[in-house]
Amino acid sequence: MGDQDSASSLPPSSTALAGNCPNEPVIPASLKFLVTNIKNLLPHPLTTENYPIWRTQILQQFTATGYLSYLTGDNPSPPADQPAAHAAWKLIDSTLISALFSTISPSILPYVITTTSAFEVWSILERRLQSTCRSRVLQLKNKLHNLQMKNSSMQQYLTQVKTRVDSIAASGSKVDPEDIMLYTLNGLPAAYNPFKTFIRNSQTPSDLDSLYSLLCNEEIYINQEHHHNNSTDPSALYATSHNQ
């Protein structure tokens, strides 16, 4: 009983040797679970656009199953003069490489296809994709900054704002709510100038949900005013009566 308890408490790298043959390493149950389920847990393969989300998900899964140290380099290969430990480590590390490869898109895979450790895979991806993500974030923030409502409805415009903010978040960055409000107001047409002045001079700070609700109400008011002005415009009335 005591032997069973001590064996079950060993970390995955040690239990890899706990097979029927003491000299033959086997894949631990936790690693089998990770390999079997990783594609279900990460349904979207790694691309240049989703690296931050992919990275977070991989870290979560490797941490939960006890293999994070293989990614971070904190669990290096045992020396060659410890053949049993080295073989167990190599089996686990090679299996982790295969698990990582299964979550990487064909366009990214050539970066790491010749790597020999999970740590090397992780390091290369960080080095290559971190800078790409920073460039993408800058592009997305620039698009958000320059977004204009133009002829869109308010609902369409606010959806465009949200889409850009969500894309920035998916790229591993974020936008301060006050900046989102500023960009949203800046993109409104001239008809909303009185509303923008009111919001900017308001003593009570608004949250995004409140601002969006106020904007939808303001759109209704502006449309009603526009309709009223057209219906009372003498030239419009003349044109209407002349066409009858």
Side-chain angles (χ1 to χ4, degrees), residues 6 12 66 104 109 130 139-140 158-159 169 171 179 190 193 196 242:
S6 61
I104 298 175
L109 199 55
Q130 285 282 20
Q139 291 175 352
L140 291 170
L158 295 179
T159 298
S171 297
D179 289 335
N193 284 346
K196 291 192 285 186
H242 193 70

Side-chain angles (χ1 to χ4, degrees), residues 29 50-51 61-62 67 69 82 84 118 129 148 157 160 164-165 181-182 189 201 204 209 213 218 221 229-230:
N50 69 348
Y51 172 68
Q61 298 308 320
F62 275 57
Y67 296 103
S69 58
Q82 300 177 22
L129 298 182
Q148 298 290 315
Y157 174 59
Q160 291 175 9
R164 281 163 173 74
V165 172
M181 293 173 63
L182 176 63
N201 294 334
T204 305
D209 290 337
S213 178
E218 185 69 11
Y221 171 76
N229 291 337
N230 283 343

Side-chain angles (χ1 to χ4, degrees), residues 53-120:
I53 292 180
W54 178 89
R55 181 180 185 276
T56 298
Q57 291 175 319
I58 287 290
L59 288 175
Q60 289 173 341
Q61 298 308 320
F62 275 57
T63 299
T65 50
Y67 296 103
L68 179 62
S69 58
Y70 285 81
L71 291 184
T72 60
D74 294 326
N75 187 0
S77 171
D81 59 2
Q82 300 177 22
H86 179 79
W89 183 93
K90 190 64 178 178
L91 175 64
I92 292 175
D93 193 68
S94 298
T95 306
L96 291 174
I97 292 175
S98 297
L100 288 171
F101 282 0
S102 70
T103 68
I104 298 175
S105 66
S107 62
I108 302 296
L109 199 55
Y111 296 165
V112 294
I113 197 66
T114 60
T115 53
T116 57
S117 70
F119 172 63
E120 188 180 1

Side-chain angles (χ1 to χ4, degrees), residues 2-46:
D3 292 341
Q4 291 178 348
D5 291 340
S6 61
S8 63
S9 64
L10 292 173
S13 58
S14 299
T15 57
L17 291 174
N20 293 329
C21 177
N23 295 322
E24 182 180 347
V26 297
I27 298 177
S30 57
L31 183 53
K32 289 181 180 179
F33 173 84
L34 179 63
V35 172
T36 302
N37 294 282
I38 194 166
K39 292 193 73 172
N40 294 327
L41 298 170
L42 284 82
H44 303 293
L46 171 64

